[in-house]
Every structure is written in C-alpha cells, then in structure tokens.
Amino acid sequence: MTSWTSGYVAELEYSQGVYREMAPALLRLNLLLKQADASALTGQPPSTPLRYAELGCGHGLTATMIAASHPGAEVHATDFNPAHVAGARKLAAQANLKNIQFYEHSFAEFLSADLPMFDVVALHGVYSWISEENRALIRDFLYARLKPGGVCYISYNVLPGWAPAMPMRKLMIELGEGNKAQPMATRIDDALDFIGQMQKTNAGYFKANPLAATRLEGMAKHSRNYLAHEYMNRDWNIFYHSDVARELSQAKLTFAASAHTGDHVDIVNLTVDQQQLLATLTDPAVRETVRDFCVNQQFRRDIFAKGLLRLSSQEQGVALSATRFALTVPRSSLALKAAFPVGEVNLQAEVYEPVADALAEKPKSIAEMLAVEPLKAMGYQKLLQALVILTSSGQAAPALEDKAAREAKPHCDRLNAALIERARTAADIAYLVSPVIGSGVQVDRFSQLMLLGRKQGQKDLAGFVWSVLSAQNQRILKDGKTLETPEENLAELKTREADFTAKTLPLLAYLGIA
C-alpha cells in the first residue's frame, strides 16, 4: 500500500489558524466590491441552508467557527490527517455543534462521498502543496459539487513574489532528505542553521537576492509546524494567477474578485502609472497577473464563481449600503497608519475617527452611517473606501444582521466555553468566535484565562491566571526574557488585567463574545 500522506508532511500537525477571508460575510463584501452577485452566500433559494465545504481543513478551526456563527448552515470539511480530524470532531462535540461534519478523506474519497451540492467550496493554501493528480481531483469536485452560482475561495503561493525564495526552499528539502533519521522539527532547524551559515560566507545567491536574507530571518521566527507544511512537502507548486485561472476554468469557474479586501483600493496598491498600464489590458487573467508583478505578490486569496453574474451599479449600491460593519479593535486603539504595497499609508484622522466613532456603540450599515453628520457630508464613496481600508487592516469587519447574530450567540457561546477551558492547559488556539461578524477574533491565552476566571466568579483575575500557570510550572516571557519570580509574573499579569478590563473585555462584549 502506498503512503497515505502522498508526500504531504504529516509528522507535524498544521498550526491552528482562522482564515477570516473564508467567512461568508467577508466573501460577500469582496464580491460586492467587484459588482459580482453574492447571493450564494445566503443559500439559494433563501429557504435552503447555506451549504459550505472546506477541502484540506487542517484542524478545522475556521470551519468550526463558521458552523457555530451560522447555525442554519451545513458545513462539511475534510482532511486526510486523522489527528486533525479527531481533534476537530472532539472540539465540535464539546461545543455540541450539530451542523458540521468532518471527514478523514482524501480528495478522491471526498469526491465519491454522499454529499450535497455546495454554495461555497473553500481551500486555503492547499492548491500549492499537492500533486497535479490531486489538483485535478479538486477541479473534478468543483465541477461536480459546486452549484451554478456558487463560489470557490482559493488561496495559493504565487509568482513573482516567491521567486527569490524558491531556491532556498529547494535547498531545505535536499538538506532534509539527507537527514531523514531526525524528527521533522530537527531537520528544519538543521536546514535553517546550515543556510544561515551559508549566508555568512557571503554566498552569491544572497548577494543577488537580498530579500532572501529577510525571508530567512522571518522563517527562523515561525513555528516549525508552519514551516514543515509550507516548505517541506514533496509537492510544492508556485503559480501565476493566469495558471490557476486556466486550470479552474476546466471546472467552469471564472475569477470574480480578490478575497483580500485591501486589493479593491487601487490608490494604496498601485502607482498612477501602474493603474494606467493595467487599464490597457482587457483579459482579466492577464491583468491580475500583471498586477501581481506590480505589487510583487507572493500569496493570493481569490474568489472564483461558477456562473459569474454581474450586478448593475444600482444593485451594487443597494447591497453595499445595507452591509453592516463592526469594529474589531477597541475604539481607543484605532491605528491611523497601515501597510500597503505602495508603502505605509497615513489614514486621515478627519475621515477615520468619525467612522470609528459611528461604529463604537454598535455595528451599523453604510446607510445608517450616512443618515447622520459628519458622515452624511463625507458621502458614500469616501465612507465606503474608509470601511474597506479598515477591514483590510483588521480594524473592522462586515457584520451579520442583528437577528442572525442573536441566533448564533448560544452556539458561539458553547464553542467559546470549550476554547477558554482548553486554555487552561494549551496555548495553541488564540481565537474565539464572534456571532456579530461570523468569524474568529484573535484572543490570546491570557485573555481567555481571564474570561474563564470571570465565568467562575473570580475577583482577582491576575491571581487566577497565575494559579493556572504556576501549577504547570509555566512562566511569562516578556521582551524575550522569562520572568522567573512569582512577584514578577504577578506584576505583569496585573498590568495585563488592567488592559483586559479597560480595552479587551468591552471589545469582546461588543462582538458578542463576553
């Protein structure tokens, strides 16, 4: 029997992450920004549930949070790693989620399984890490199981941004192959150490590719679980967007929109000359590929549609005006700088402060915000651009309707209860799910433990967290230094408790988490 891994790294589990671009509300927003029909995100016809599939779901955390925050949906997720599937099923059972099913299937097995037709099929990163045979199976699945009008979220490594690092990845594979007796994490450490030594010899590769040194430095800071899956798979493919568009056309899919919200604002991505150059191109695949050269793209998040329908400008305006937004950072922590391909962008306080003020009390639609000053005077286009920029920078997100958020809250509460209880002994999941935005929100272990303490009626949250950490002989790492004494750890936790009480807790309450 051939190896069930098919050359994919299985020795180290994939890292626990939540990929916000996969959330239905954000998919819908990105489609609308390109005048693409987004009705698939509500289930079609409206009386039927949204049916959502994820291929190569890893630990399934994103799919689980989508299921919890969309209790009327049906979510199906598959991963061939039994450890991933076992953990995902356990978490879903702890949260008593009845609307999600996990499968320990290969893509071939999932294709032949008894499944419904789907409104959404999502795969994060997987397309870059599998063989041509498995990519063909994914295309067969999309052809057979994605509804007409349905959408596919797909993210993948892309050229030209990956070009400087491709030789380094190849060297890591070769070094690892010669060190197979060692565990994967050791092989990665040894490979990074050797490449670092090579850099110090002033190797010509690093002189010709100065960005490679920056990439190497960043790799050393990543978890070995992430590096194993990103760099050490047997099959590893870097695409141009036009290649992916051509392959997915075999499944009757058409590129609809970028799933990265910031991509929809040209002025923060492209110079005027670059915008004018792109305007001369009529082929969408070629235009997106040339755009990748302009911004030196290395990772794309795309939405493809099976039967792409375009909205009229009036239909787009009505749909966007009804879209609600919520802050995802404390109002007092609003950042007026953001990084984009053109460089660091200063956000105008006279625009962004009033927008944040309007959302600070509760989520609002664009129409609601435009009904009052000073946003009324700002106008639709400027307000929409500000909300898109805030969403792109992680400071806002499209929000669900109040009724949907209320219906989702008990399901999200059960999942969050399981996650904060898990934080007693593990720090691997730094997310909780919000019924307000229908997605995960980053919440570190300390904050999760403080939520657990509040739930238990603890008055001294810092003391409670320290009791959990000290019982496991754990200490806080601050500025690269381990705090050794109980006094040092308690003092740091007191500082974090004050910040939690003043900023984090009100935000979590606003997002329906606390």
Side-chain angles (χ1 to χ4, degrees), residues 89-214:
R89 287 176 176 172
K90 180 179 179 180
L91 180 60
Q94 289 172 333
N96 194 28
L97 298 178
K98 305 296 187 183
N99 63 329
I100 186 167
Q101 188 167 346
F102 288 99
Y103 305 79
E104 185 209 340
H105 281 355
S106 67
F107 296 131
E109 291 167 332
F110 204 52
L111 177 61
S112 61
D114 182 16
L115 296 168
M117 296 292 286
F118 291 103
D119 301 286
V120 182
V121 175
L123 51 155
H124 176 75
V126 175
Y127 211 66
S128 290
W129 301 336
I130 57 177
S131 66
E132 164 54 31
E133 178 185 3
N134 276 306
R135 295 204 309 276
L137 287 167
I138 285 174
R139 296 193 294 272
D140 289 344
F141 185 90
L142 292 167
Y143 185 90
R145 290 296 178 186
L146 185 62
K147 290 181 183 178
V151 298
C152 171
Y153 165 85
I154 180 170
S155 58
Y156 51 97
N157 291 331
V158 69
L159 291 164
W162 257 98
M166 289 177 70
M168 190 158 55
R169 181 264 171 186
K170 173 64 173 174
L171 185 55
M172 286 187 67
I173 286 284
E174 296 296 341
L175 291 168
E177 284 291 313
N179 200 15
K180 275 192 169 181
Q182 297 298 322
M184 176 61 74
T186 302
R187 279 183 266 166
I188 293 172
D189 285 336
D190 289 349
L192 290 176
D193 181 63
F194 184 89
I195 295 172
Q197 292 179 48
M198 183 177 68
Q199 180 196 4
K200 291 175 183 176
T201 68
N202 205 25
Y205 165 71
F206 284 99
K207 289 196 291 183
N209 298 278
L211 290 177
T214 303

Side-chain angles (χ1 to χ4, degrees), residues 448-463:
Q448 290 189 34
L449 287 173
M450 288 180 188
L451 285 173
L452 181 62
R454 288 184 78 253
K455 183 179 178 182
Q456 295 182 355
Q458 301 285 342
K459 302 299 183 184
D460 178 9
L461 298 181

Side-chain angles (χ1 to χ4, degrees), residues 4-6 8-10 56 78-82 85 103-107:
W4 62 270
T5 67
S6 297
Y8 191 89
V9 169
T78 187
D79 196 274
F80 76 154
N81 188 319
V85 174
Y103 305 79
E104 185 209 340
H105 281 355
S106 67
F107 296 131

Side-chain angles (χ1 to χ4, degrees), residues 37 146-151 251-254 304-310:
D37 179 68
L146 185 62
K147 290 181 183 178
V151 298
K252 298 186 177 181
L253 268 61
T254 303
F304 284 77
K306 191 176 188 180
L308 177 60
L309 300 178
R310 293 292 183 189

Side-chain angles (χ1 to χ4, degrees), residues 26-99:
L26 197 50
L27 288 172
R28 176 182 179 274
L29 173 64
N30 285 311
L31 287 167
L32 290 177
L33 289 170
K34 296 298 285 186
Q35 266 181 265
D37 179 68
S39 55
L41 278 307
T42 57
Q44 289 299 310
S47 59
T48 63
L50 172 71
R51 291 190 170 96
Y52 193 112
E54 184 180 1
L55 309 180
C57 66
H59 290 278
L61 191 57
T62 302
T64 302
M65 290 191 170
I66 289 172
S69 56
H70 299 79
E74 293 178 13
V75 181
H76 299 257
T78 187
D79 196 274
F80 76 154
N81 188 319
H84 290 167
V85 174
R89 287 176 176 172
K90 180 179 179 180
L91 180 60
Q94 289 172 333
N96 194 28
L97 298 178
K98 305 296 187 183
N99 63 329

